Structures are given as C-alpha cells and as structure tokens.
Amino acid sequence: MRAIVGGLMAAMLLAALDQTIVATAMPTIGLDLGDAANLPWIVTAYLLASTAVTPLYGKLSDIHGRRVMLLIAIAVFSLGSLACALAPTMITLALARALQGVGGGGLIALSQTILADIMSPRERAGYQVYIAGVFATASVAGPLLGGVLAQHFHWSLIFWINLPIGFLAFLLTNDKLKLLPRNERRHRLDYPGAALLVLGSTALLLALSRGGVHEAWTSPLVLGLLGAALLFSAGFAARLATAAEPLIPTSVLGNPIVACATLAACFAMGTFIGLTIYVPIFLEGVVGLSASQSGLALVPLMIGTVTGATLSGRSMLYFRHYKRVPLVMMGLSLAACATLALYGRDLPFWLMETALAFLSIGLGTILPLSTITIQNAVAPHQLGIATAAMNFFRSLGGALIVAVFGTIVLGAAAGGGNADLESLLRGADPALLAATFRHVFQAACLCLILAFVFLALLEERPLGERPRAAGSEAVVGE
C-alpha cells in the first residue's frame, strides 16, 4: 500500500509541478529561443492537450485497467519532457509541450481513481493531507525552482527534472499495480463522441485563452472558435443521447451527487486559479510590492488550500455529517473575499494576508470532498470515467472563470482595450487598478456563493467502509 501511494504521489507531483515550474522560466526561454511572441503557446499547448484527453484516460482505464493507462501516461509525459528539454525552437517546444500534456492529462485523474480502488472513502479522506501536500509543494517550490534553474543553470533543466521523478513513479507503481483489484467490464470506446469532445473542448479553451488578451472577444477568430466549440459540444450532446455506450455514461452525468460536486469544484477551483494568477497584479500594482515580495505574499493563499483540504479530509474521517466543516469554512471564505472587495488596498497588510488565507481555506475544503463523494456515488466499473469527467469539467470551469477575471482586469484597467500583464503593471493608475480589483473580488464572491449553494445541495451519503474494488466483481491480476 505504501509503495503504491508513494508512486501515485510521485505521479501527481509530475503533473502538479509542471503547472507551476514553467511560469517563472518563461522569460528566459523566450530570450534564449528568440521567439517571445509565441511564448504563451508553451502554456496553452499543455493546457489544451491535458484537458482534452482526461476523459479518454478515465474511460480507457475502465476498459483496460488502471495500471496500463497510468504507466502509459507516465511514459508519454516523460517522453514529452525529454522532447521539451531538447527543443531547439519555440514551435518544437510548443509541440513537445502538447505531447507532455497528452501524458499529463491522465496522471492526476488516474492516481485519484487508483486510490479509490485500493481504499475505502473514509481511508481516502485520511490521505488527503498527503495529496494536498503534493500540490502545496508544487505551488510553493515550483516557481522558486523554475526561476533558480532558468537563471543560474539552463531552462531545459525544468524538463530534465521530470525524468527521475517519472522513473521513480514508474518503478514504484509498475509491479505493485499488478496486484491491483480490477473492476473493469467490457466496454466500447465511443470514437465519434471522443473526437467531438476533444474538438469542442480544444476550441473552447483556445477561445478563452485568446479572447480579451491577444484578440478582442468580438474578433472573427474568437467568435469562430466559440462557434466551433458550440457546434462540437452540440454534436457531443447528441452523441450522448444516441450512442449505444456514450463516452461519459448518462448514469454518471445524471447523478445529482456527481453534478453538484462537480459544479462546486468548478467554481472553487476556478476561483483559486484565477486569484493565484491575478492577485500578484493587485499586490504589485496596487499595494506596491516587488515581484519577489508578491510571490511571498501569495504563500498564505497557497497554504490555505492545504489547510482546508486537511480539515475537510479529517471531517470526513470522523464526522457523519462531513459537509458541516466545509460549509462553515466556505462562509468564512465568503466573508474574507467580501472584506477584500469592500476595503481592498485600505486594509492593513497583515489583515489582507489573513483574508487571503481564510479565502483559500474554504476553497480547499471542497476539493477532496468533491472527489470522494463522486467516487462514493458511482458504480465500481465507472470510477475511472467519473473521476476523469470531474477533472475535465473542473478544468473547463476553471478556464472560464480565469477568462472572466482576465477580462475584468485587462479590459477595465486598460480602458476597454487589450493589454498584456506587463504593460498593465507599468502603465496603470493604482487607483484605477484598485477599483478594477474591487470588481474582481466581487466576481470571486459570486463564484464562492455558487460553490456554497452546490455544496449545500450535495447529498450527504454515508461513506463506504470497504474499498469498492473488494466487491464480488474484482479480479486480481493484470
């Protein structure tokens, strides 16, 4: 058990670290490769690929087993990391990042699913502190490590470092997962549905990443992408209604627990990601901190989610009514966010940091609760696709909320025109920027209210005492 959990933590660290370590190295990469104009693609390419393939990993793991799909994800991610480290141009680096994303899309969802195979929901709640610790490590150490490696050594080391971690994850999970109980049944992969889902999500994410930042929302490119996303999504919805075995079973999509938990996680994760991206602008442009100081000031926001996840996991472990702690903490988060919206830069710095910490604690309580309640509510042979679908829709919801925050910041503070973050920090009036962030925190309050509502509507079903894989359908072996 310890070896499997250790391997899964290493696999999660691969995906979590990759999302944070690249950001601080991007300026150095752009200068070294001489193509700063296409620099955003090294983030966008990974995001598009990893989000689009997540449901496929879940479905294929239900068909072929967790072990083979996790090992494929680790291998593809490691191969993509090698290609990134050796990339001679920005275009090849973006393509390599897409390959890396194809592997990364399965790492977190499959790791969560395997934990559900080998542990009861209550046991998983006790392990949330370790999972949260992985993401906290990546959140705090990733930007620092990326900056140090890029500045003092070479930017390629941020990708080389993935190879020993990937090898460790492969080594720890390969043999032990052969003993993993299996619940998969005979399934058919809905190839047309999979293609429609990939195309629709890719078009939507491209529109959200380009709109308001690189292109106006009314530009032909963004409108065309949004139209394509709507068309492919309508095709996917029709496929769900007509396919003999749709990619995401209607019994999963129609499950009220899955729906409420996923929506609560969407608004919580989207708010957290949006704040981690744009709060540094508030700290630098309004409060007057330097870049390094704003990075340190963001630590309470990161640590708060770990604290919240730990509290939520412990409440599920010991309390029958496990929603009470998250609901109380979400109320405190809403109060903290409302305080930031009302007073903003007028708050003493220590109180501002305290508000950010309490804001993120509530968000952190939702993340483990949503995963465990969804896995507790579906059949054993649907664990893979249910977990992957939650991660998929959570990513899409996060991208949508980040786009809304970005539109508020870049649009209002730039006088309704397009602007990048660097020029915004150089030229924006602090008073105007402070007023703009009042709207950002108000939007965050709305997201918190919606997350609270869906959490309150979530059915509090008793958690299973035994691992689902221990049922009569389990088959040991590979």
Side-chain angles (χ1 to χ4, degrees):
M1 180 77 77
R2 285 193 297 269
I4 291 177
V5 172
L8 298 179
M9 296 301 102
M12 287 186 177
L13 182 61
L14 275 175
L17 190 63
D18 193 78
Q19 297 175 10
T20 59
I21 197 173
V22 172
T24 49
M26 286 177 63
T28 305
I29 295 174
L31 290 174
D32 188 62
L33 297 181
D35 189 4
N38 290 312
L39 195 59
W41 281 107
I42 70 174
V43 174
T44 304
Y46 182 91
L47 175 66
L48 292 176
S50 61
T51 302
V53 301
T54 296
L56 299 182
Y57 274 106
K59 187 68 172 183
L60 289 172
S61 76
D62 286 336
I63 299 174
H64 301 294
R66 320 290 187 217
R67 172 179 173 268
V68 63
M69 295 311 303
L70 180 62
L71 296 181
I72 288 174
I74 294 173
V76 173
F77 186 91
S78 300
L79 182 61
S81 298
L82 177 63
C84 288
L86 299 175
T89 65
M90 189 65 71
I91 299 300
T92 54
L93 178 58
L95 293 174
R97 285 281 289 168
L99 177 62
Q100 197 182 30
V102 170
L107 292 176
I108 294 177
L110 289 176
S111 297
Q112 292 173 334
T113 305
I114 292 171
L115 286 175
D117 284 331
I118 64 176
M119 297 178 184
S120 70
R122 289 192 178 277
E123 289 173 323
R124 264 174 278 146
Y127 275 84
Q128 290 307 312
V129 63
Y130 301 107
I131 297 174
V134 168
F135 288 95
T137 300
S139 298
V140 176
L144 177 62
L145 186 60
V148 170
L149 292 177
Q151 181 178 351
H152 299 289
F153 298 96
H154 192 266
W155 61 264
S156 63
L157 286 175
I158 68 175
F159 300 111
W160 286 114
I161 199 175
N162 290 330
L163 299 184
I165 300 176
F167 178 75
L168 178 64
F170 196 101
L171 189 66
L172 289 174
T173 56
N174 182 30
D175 290 334
K176 296 298 181 182
L177 289 185
K178 291 179 180 179
L179 303 176
L180 187 69
R182 293 171 55 173
N183 290 291
E184 63 266 19
R185 294 180 174 180
R186 289 187 177 273
H187 291 278
R188 288 182 297 175
L189 181 61
D190 180 20
Y191 291 101
L196 289 168
L197 181 64
V198 170
L199 291 172
S201 58
T202 300
L204 177 60
L205 288 171
L206 274 174
L208 294 177
S209 64
R210 304 294 296 181
V213 180
H214 305 285
E215 306 279 346
W217 285 107
T218 54
S219 67
L221 175 62
V222 174
L223 291 177
L225 288 170
L226 291 174
L230 182 62
L231 180 64
F232 289 128
S233 298
F236 178 69
R239 189 68 189 173
L240 289 178
T242 58
E245 185 176 349
L247 179 67
I248 305 177
T250 53
S251 59
V252 171
L253 287 177
N255 188 313
I257 293 179
V258 174
C260 288
T262 300
L263 287 169
C266 278
F267 286 106
M269 179 60 77
T271 303
F272 175 70
I273 296 174
L275 291 177
T276 58
I277 292 174
Y278 291 107
V279 163
I281 301 175
F282 172 78
L283 295 172
E284 294 177 42
V286 178
V287 181
L289 302 183
S290 66
S292 58
Q293 289 173 333
S294 69
L296 290 174
L298 204 64
V299 170
L301 189 69
M302 302 296 185
I303 299 300
T305 57
V306 181
T307 306
T310 303
L311 288 173
S312 181
R314 291 300 174 184
S315 68
M316 299 185 80
L317 191 61
Y318 294 113
F319 302 128
R320 181 174 179 271
H321 297 289
Y322 48 80
K323 287 199 315 180
R324 290 179 179 176
V325 170
L327 285 171
V328 170
M329 297 312 300
M330 281 298 296
L332 292 177
S333 292
L334 181 58
C337 192
T339 300
L340 290 169
L342 287 172
Y343 300 104
R345 66 174 178 175
D346 296 328
L347 289 172
F349 184 73
W350 67 269
L351 186 55
M352 186 182 302
E353 291 287 272
T354 303
L356 288 174
F358 274 102
L359 196 163
S360 64
I361 287 175
L363 297 176
T365 61
I366 290 183
L367 302 182
L369 183 141
S370 61
T371 301
I372 293 174
T373 53
I374 285 174
Q375 292 174 338
N376 188 58
V378 300
H381 63 278
Q382 294 176 334
L383 274 174
I385 187 58
T387 305
M390 178 203 66
N391 281 276
F392 171 75
F393 289 114
R394 193 168 68 180
S395 296
L396 285 184
L400 180 60
I401 292 174
V402 168
V404 171
F405 285 7
T407 299
I408 295 173
V409 174
L410 297 175
N418 294 328
D420 55 39
L421 300 184
E422 184 178 353
S423 62
L424 180 61
L425 286 175
R426 285 199 310 263
D429 177 19
L432 175 60
L433 201 56
T436 298
F437 269 93
R438 179 168 296 176
H439 298 306
V440 172
F441 289 122
Q442 288 171 350
C445 285
L446 177 59
C447 292
L448 291 174
I449 291 172
L450 292 172
F452 182 91
V453 169
F454 287 115
L455 177 61
L457 293 174
L458 178 66
E459 180 186 345
E460 204 170 39
R461 184 174 296 179
L463 300 179
E465 297 290 346
R466 300 177 58 192
R468 292 213 177 243
S472 59
E473 295 175 325
V475 180
V476 176
E478 180 65 21

